[in-house]
């Protein structure tokens, strides 16, 4: 393989996978998540709630750590059925604080339970979580013409993520700062932040183009 080609890929924030595909530089650390999930539009309410919760647990921690524990989180939080989580009691909090397979942060556990209750309220307001969250999808004119490495590294929030954060906090949600909500937008396909040249970028862009927006 041409060393200059590999160097050019690295400079652009890209890498060559073992099967010869050009992808975002972080693909080797979480290949399945990168290739099949990150940036894929999510309109299922339970999966949206899961991503909100996991992004909250991710705050201040490695996403890879949270991702590797995701099945444990799903077991502990009833597969993120927010109607079930909303009924959690002090006994459930004590159980979760003893569960070494998840992140035992009391504030974040309480936040997940609180947010489950707020999710029920949001459905009454908007009809579904998907309808509410997708209203914050930015218009094409508000997105960069090219998602290059420099932009990718600098973009930690956006006007939309700030508005989403404020709207959630106003409704009583917790652990939903603008950095967390921007990460949520990336993870749920409200935006496509795969770096230009990544072979997954076009796949998820097509998924966004053909998506029947909720609401």
């Amino acid at each position: 393989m041409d060393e200059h080609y590999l160097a050019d890929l690295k400079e652009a924030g890209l890498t060559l996978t073992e099967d010869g595909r050009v992808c975002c530089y972080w693909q080797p650390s979480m290949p399945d998540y990168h290739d099949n999930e990150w940036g894929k539009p999510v309109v299922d309410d339970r999966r949206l709630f899961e991503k909100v919760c996991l992004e909250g647990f991710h705050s201040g921690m490695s996403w890879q750590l949270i991702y590797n524990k995701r099945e444990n989180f799903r077991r502990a939080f009833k597969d993120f059925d927010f109607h079930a989580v909303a009924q959690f009691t002090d006994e459930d909090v004590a159980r979760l604080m003893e569960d070494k397979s998840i992140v035992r942060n009391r504030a974040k556990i309480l936040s997940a339970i609180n947010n489950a209750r707020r999710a029920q309220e949001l459905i009454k307001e908007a009809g579904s979580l998907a309808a509410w969250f997708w209203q914050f999808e930015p218009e094409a004119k508000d997105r960069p013409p090219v998602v290059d490495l420099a932009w990718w590294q600098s973009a930690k929030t956006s006007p939309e993520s700030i508005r989403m954060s404020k709207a959630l906090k106003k409704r009583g949600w917790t652990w939903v700062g603008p950095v967390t909500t921007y990460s949520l937008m990336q993870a749920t396909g409200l935006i496509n932040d795969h770096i230009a040249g990544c072979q997954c970028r076009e796949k998820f862009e097509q998924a966004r183009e053909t998506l029947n927006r909720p609401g």
Side-chain angles (χ1 to χ4, degrees):
M1 180 61 64
D2 188 328
E3 292 184 2
H4 294 294
Y5 174 64
L6 295 177
D8 288 343
L9 287 180
K10 184 177 181 180
E11 185 175 353
L14 301 168
T15 190
L16 196 65
T17 65
E18 291 184 355
D19 58 357
R21 293 179 299 120
V22 174
C23 290
C24 298
Y25 71 91
W26 57 272
Q27 190 271 357
S29 64
M30 291 181 285
D32 186 63
Y33 182 67
H34 172 277
D35 293 354
N36 300 307
E37 189 170 346
W38 192 75
K40 180 179 179 179
V42 177
V43 294
D44 177 84
D45 280 2
R46 185 180 293 199
R47 297 283 74 90
L48 276 169
F49 178 68
E50 171 185 306
K51 289 185 180 293
V52 173
C53 289
L54 293 183
E55 289 295 345
F57 277 99
H58 169 215
S59 181
M61 306 186 74
S62 160
W63 173 247
Q64 189 170 3
L65 171 68
I66 301 301
Y67 177 70
N68 289 340
K69 291 177 177 288
R70 183 165 65 172
E71 291 304 320
N72 300 329
F73 277 108
R74 286 173 172 170
R75 172 188 50 75
F77 285 93
K78 307 296 184 183
D79 196 27
F80 291 100
D81 177 349
F82 47 88
H83 296 297
V85 176
Q87 300 302 315
F88 277 14
T89 64
D90 290 344
E91 291 183 358
D92 291 295
V93 175
R95 168 180 60 83
L96 293 167
M97 287 298 294
E98 293 295 323
D99 190 341
K100 297 180 180 179
S101 71
I102 64 171
V103 173
R104 294 179 293 173
N105 181 306
R106 185 177 183 84
K108 292 180 179 181
I109 289 170
L110 291 174
S111 175
I113 298 170
N114 169 74
N115 290 347
R117 296 165 183 166
R118 304 293 80 77
Q120 291 178 314
E121 296 168 354
L122 204 60
I123 287 177
K124 292 179 181 178
E125 174 186 340
S128 69
L129 294 185
W132 193 88
F133 280 99
W134 274 88
Q135 69 178 307
F136 294 94
E137 178 188 15
E139 296 183 23
K141 66 180 179 60
D142 297 322
R143 292 285 293 158
V146 177
V147 177
D148 58 16
L149 179 61
W151 189 91
W152 193 91
Q153 290 176 328
S154 65
K156 303 302 180 185
T157 66
S158 69
E160 295 80 14
S161 79
I162 293 170
R163 287 195 297 109
M164 182 192 292
S165 174
K166 289 180 177 178
L168 287 170
K169 289 179 179 179
K170 182 179 180 181
R171 289 162 174 78
W173 292 62
T174 51
W175 289 91
V176 285
V179 174
T180 296
T181 53
Y182 187 78
S183 184
L184 176 69
M185 292 172 69
Q186 292 175 311
T188 56
L190 269 74
I191 55 177
N192 181 0
D193 265 358
H194 283 270
I195 296 173
C198 171
Q199 291 188 14
C200 289
R201 179 172 177 81
E202 182 60 28
K203 174 176 70 172
F204 291 123
E205 200 58 35
Q206 289 179 358
R208 283 175 37 76
E209 289 175 359
T210 59
L211 178 69
N212 183 19
R213 265 64 172 172

